[in-house]
Amino acid sequence: MLQIDGKPHAACDGVSRRRILEAAGVGLFGLSLPRLLAAEEASGRGQGPRPRARAVIFLTLFGGPSQLETFDLKPDAPDTIRGPFKPIASRTPGLLISEHLPRLAQISDKFCVVRSMSHPFNDHSGAAHYIQTGKIWHIPIGAGFSPTPKDWPSMGSVVEYLDQHRQREGSAGTAALPSYAVVPNTLGRLQETGLYLRPGEHAGWLGRRYNPLTTVVDKKNLQDNPYWRDCSDEELTFQIEGLAPGEGVRLDRVNHRVSMLEEFDGRRRLLDGARRVVEFDRFRERALGLVTSAATRDALDVRNEPATVRDRYGRHLFGQSTLIARRLVEAGVRFVTVHYDACDGFGWDSHVHSDDVKNHLMPTFDQALSALLLDLDQRGLLDETLVVALGEMGRTPVPTPRWGRGHWSKLFPAVLAGAGIRGGTTYGASDKDAANVVDHLVNPESLAATIYEALGVSYELRLPDPQGRPTAIVEGGEPVRDLFG
């Protein structure tokens, strides 16, 4: 018997789905989120979707790749618009791909290109938040760059939140690996020596215990971009953020710090409320568990991969990070974000010219993504892993004199594969100049709803905000089910 507003209700006696979700959001009468979701399922209304994917690998190309130079070429456009790159045929009917993406053109039967992504937030930080959360950032354009505690939780953090609740409900203890990880660095860490950390990947108001496990890989100097150059094994340490040299606690000091925290906690319990203490203990337990976990260390050790596999992905940071993502998913992580970040202007944000895009970014992206899709397929993991690759925006149709392009969030492409996505297809269309969507617009809300539903999470789910109010994880979008076979 379920009690809402102090009145008993059987699971099928007319309790609305909204009432159950609201109760779940605020945790009424001590009932946990998993139990209330189970009650919702038992009522026959709003049963959770059948999961298509066990995991998601989310590749973010920060800075905004040009649609006209990647997956939406317009060879018949005026020469002042169409761009300097030649189109090549792919295995997908009607899909022309850049000459600098030949590997992906050869396996386009394994993925779908969405040519109609669009949103109004024409700003890197705000758009990065929007793409990773499905929610518009609360900071106006130009008023900030970096994460805040009021940010919306990322999709990965929502998955982490739900999985941690399920673990507690089942008394499963602390998992050896997190549900959510970010590699190789938190977004923006290599930009201007970390002055421009970007929002979107964090748990925001949901709470820091649902933040991703994040690794750290540094660059050599200000002008270095390890994302596209070959990196040595000494560089590719993928240390957990906060535990890199000079950043935090060494593993051999963990036990000492634990004893210090125990003493500290004993004093805190005299002053703090029980709820805060429990939350702090759970955060510390998870952090220490991940640090000392052999499964974590093994999954992050790329040296365990055969040299031939590593070569296939590319020895550059983006390629090896994409390989780490496959290792993490194989080990049981449910959501892995891989950033292809900018390094002090050397990135996808190509205002002045497209030389870096042509010579470095597109070849390494082509190599890593094609290797990932083939590797997942050969290992039998592609059917249960949703792969998403996109930037936070596109580029202006009108170029600069040297074929750079400005910011353009009205239109940009996304690549989706695995988990039942119909390969060899396209979705949506742009106008003759690749400036605007003319068919099947897909906004970040719909992308988030699609990803959630693929994972078996209802996109109508509500979570408690800091005031305990039930808050929808998606508003203004629905899953794009036509993408799936």
Side-chain angles (χ1 to χ4, degrees):
M1 190 71 66
L2 179 67
Q3 293 210 11
I4 298 179
D5 295 337
K7 300 177 182 179
H9 297 275
C12 58
D13 74 345
V15 180
S16 71
R17 182 172 183 275
R18 179 179 295 275
R19 297 297 293 153
I20 292 175
L21 285 172
E22 287 176 354
V26 297
L28 293 177
F29 305 102
L31 289 174
S32 67
L33 176 64
R35 286 179 180 173
L36 282 166
L37 291 177
E40 181 193 29
E41 184 172 346
S43 73
R45 306 179 189 86
Q47 292 186 9
R50 177 183 63 84
R52 300 175 183 269
R54 182 180 61 82
V56 171
I57 296 177
F58 195 80
L59 308 176
T60 66
L61 312 179
F62 184 77
S66 168
Q67 65 276 19
L68 284 151
E69 272 78 63
T70 55
F71 297 101
D72 199 6
L73 282 78
K74 302 291 184 180
D76 296 328
D79 57 8
T80 55
I81 288 177
R82 64 174 176 259
F85 301 163
K86 297 178 181 179
I88 59 175
S90 71
R91 293 191 176 186
T92 301
L95 176 64
L96 296 176
I97 292 180
S98 169
E99 61 181 317
H100 300 295
L101 300 174
R103 291 181 174 92
L104 288 171
Q106 287 298 312
I107 63 165
S108 69
D109 56 317
K110 296 188 180 301
F111 58 81
C112 171
V113 175
V114 176
R115 295 187 286 191
S116 53
M117 292 294 304
S118 180
H119 64 74
F121 217 104
N122 202 34
D123 166 80
H124 290 302
S125 286
H129 179 280
Y130 204 176
I131 286 296
Q132 295 180 83
T133 66
K135 299 277 190 173
I136 292 179
W137 202 26
H138 66 97
I139 302 293
I141 292 177
F145 293 96
S146 300
T148 80
K150 295 182 179 180
D151 293 350
W152 287 95
S154 66
M155 290 178 276
S157 289
V158 171
V159 172
E160 181 70 56
Y161 174 91
L162 295 174
D163 284 355
Q164 286 193 36
H165 274 265
R166 292 188 187 101
Q167 290 163 14
R168 290 207 304 273
E169 187 68 17
S171 300
T174 303
L177 281 163
S179 292
Y180 176 34
V182 168
V183 296
N185 289 296
T186 189
L187 187 58
R189 188 176 184 276
L190 298 190
Q191 297 175 35
E192 296 288 342
T193 62
L195 295 178
Y196 292 103
L197 296 180
R198 305 288 183 162
E201 71 190 49
H202 310 94
W205 53 256
L206 201 56
R208 65 175 186 169
R209 51 188 292 237
Y210 306 112
N211 277 344
L213 178 149
T214 308
T215 61
V216 173
V217 178
D218 283 321
K219 58 183 179 180
K220 292 180 176 179
N221 53 58
L222 188 62
Q223 299 300 316
D224 181 35
N225 192 325
Y227 284 96
W228 72 49
R229 67 161 172 81
D230 284 355
C231 297
S232 67
D233 284 355
E234 288 71 25
E235 295 177 272
L236 298 170
T237 55
F238 292 99
Q239 298 180 80
I240 297 173
E241 188 173 23
L243 296 176
E247 288 194 352
V249 185
R250 294 204 320 261
L251 293 181
D252 59 1
R253 295 182 181 177
V254 168
N255 289 336
H256 175 62
R257 290 296 179 92
V258 170
S259 63
M260 292 176 63
L261 287 170
E262 292 291 353
E263 181 179 354
F264 174 69
D265 284 351
R267 298 178 184 274
R268 284 193 75 216
R269 285 184 174 87
L270 298 176
L271 302 173
D272 292 346
R275 181 177 179 181
R276 288 186 179 181
V277 171
V278 168
E279 288 298 307
F280 178 79
D281 283 347
R282 286 173 176 166
F283 173 77
R284 186 192 64 179
E285 178 186 7
R286 175 177 178 268
L288 291 174
L290 296 178
V291 167
T292 58
S293 164
T296 302
R297 293 196 302 271
D298 181 69
L300 293 175
D301 192 347
V302 73
R303 296 171 301 177
N304 290 332
E305 286 290 329
T308 53
V309 175
R310 297 185 62 187
D311 291 342
R312 196 175 307 136
Y313 278 82
R315 296 285 180 145
H316 40 83
L317 183 55
F318 182 67
Q320 297 299 285
S321 300
T322 304
L323 176 53
I324 285 288
R326 190 224 78 204
R327 290 179 59 80
L328 288 167
V329 163
E330 203 169 26
V333 178
R334 294 239 291 149
F335 201 108
V336 183
T337 294
V338 182
H339 293 309
Y340 198 148
D341 202 355
C343 288
D344 303 325
F346 299 95
W348 296 101
D349 191 19
S350 53
H351 286 274
V352 178
H353 60 79
S354 58
D355 293 349
D356 294 333
V357 175
K358 175 182 68 176
N359 297 328
H360 303 298
L361 282 90
M362 290 180 69
T364 50
F365 170 66
D366 184 47
Q367 181 179 21
L369 179 55
S370 60
L372 175 66
L373 298 182
L374 291 172
D375 197 8
L376 289 172
D377 196 21
Q378 291 167 2
R379 292 169 181 271
L381 295 173
L382 189 57
D383 287 343
E384 59 184 38
T385 305
L386 178 64
V387 178
V388 182
L390 77 170
E392 79 277 16
M393 60 175 67
R395 313 303 297 183
T396 54
V398 178
T400 60
R402 288 189 58 200
W403 287 105
R405 299 182 189 269
H407 301 167
W408 192 258
S409 65
K410 293 181 180 180
L411 181 79
F412 56 104
V415 174
L416 284 84
I421 292 288
R422 293 188 296 118
T425 62
T426 60
Y427 184 85
S430 63
D431 61 16
K432 61 182 178 62
D433 296 334
N436 296 286
V437 176
V438 297
D439 186 38
H440 291 108
L441 184 148
V442 179
N443 59 20
E445 291 89 344
S446 293
L447 178 66
T450 303
I451 292 172
Y452 281 131
E453 186 166 273
L455 285 168
V457 176
S458 172
Y459 70 98
E460 296 179 303
L461 178 68
R462 294 171 180 265
L463 299 179
D465 70 7
Q467 288 72 45
R469 298 169 301 194
T471 304
I473 60 173
V474 174
E475 294 177 290
E478 295 186 355
V480 186
R481 299 188 178 98
D482 288 346
L483 297 175
F484 298 90

